[in-house]
Amino acid sequence: MDECCAVVDLRQYTLHPGQRDTLIDVFDEYFVEGQEATGMHIVGQFRDLDDPDRFVWIRGFADLPSRADALAAFYGGPVWREHSATANATMIDSDNALLLKPLELRDGYPRLDSPRPPIGTTDIPGSLIAGAVYHRGAPDDGFVEFFTDHVVPALVASGAEPVAVFETLVAENNFPALPVRDEVVLVWFARFDDEAAYDEHRRRLAASPTWQQKVLPELVCRSGKPAQELRLRPTARSQFK
């Protein structure tokens, strides 16, 4: 388990057309260290490969009280005050956020001391972070056990071993200025060296009788709506890459 973060925000922003690089430039230059100075861990920030106007990022907190304190310090502080107008001008919607807790974090998921490229780095990694958001019925629905016992083995067999698995943290949002979605989910992420490796994973899943005939139908039955599949390209300064 991450020595930092028992609480995680997964945030997905819908941006005005053509504005994603502007937001990433501001984020990577000012908001990574600006937020971490208040006690957060900026785990990763990404371009969504299936939506040119979506920016996705993950940040962690030691616990819920630390989350409230860190968010208040950052959004009431000088870094946000100086650069918020530029960031906000890129956004149509910033309320697509999930409050999560880690179920499993493996090697490959960034720790506090994981390397991060310095400010000014422009080289975008060729790797992919991919995964899914599953929409569940209730916290006690048995979904975690089903995922662990049946979904994970099928993913591993297809070359997509999850390095991070989260579920909804059922708790009151203690920083209501930033809304979070009121639903129960399970989220997983895996790392791929490149798009070809990801495509091979999808090909193997499609060809797997176990996945197609057993796991996927049960997954659909247990889900409240279709899963959100994510294919994410790390930014130049993302730790998770």
Side-chain angles (χ1 to χ4, degrees), residues 100-123:
L100 307 172
K101 63 180 180 180
L103 293 173
E104 185 168 18
L105 302 177
R106 294 175 173 257
D107 290 344
Y109 185 82
R111 269 48 181 180
L112 285 170
D113 60 352
S114 296
R116 185 194 306 282
I119 293 173
T121 300
T122 58
D123 293 337

Side-chain angles (χ1 to χ4, degrees), residues 181-229:
R181 284 159 51 188
D182 183 19
E183 65 175 302
V184 180
V185 301
L186 183 142
V187 181
W188 65 271
F189 293 106
R191 183 193 178 278
F192 299 87
D193 286 340
D194 50 34
E195 290 186 56
Y198 175 82
D199 290 344
E200 175 63 13
H201 146 66
R202 298 299 299 185
R203 186 197 67 77
R204 292 168 70 176
L205 267 191
S208 165
T210 298
W211 178 261
Q212 294 296 333
Q213 298 170 20
K214 296 180 180 180
V215 178
L216 183 57
E218 180 71 13
L219 190 56
V220 171
C221 286
R222 287 175 174 267
S223 299
K225 58 183 178 180
Q228 181 192 13
E229 305 284 348

Side-chain angles (χ1 to χ4, degrees), residues 39-54:
M40 309 183 209
H41 178 201
I42 307 306
V43 176
Q45 55 272 23
F46 312 96
R47 293 171 170 89
D48 187 322
L49 292 179
D50 297 307
D51 185 342
D53 300 318
R54 180 182 289 140

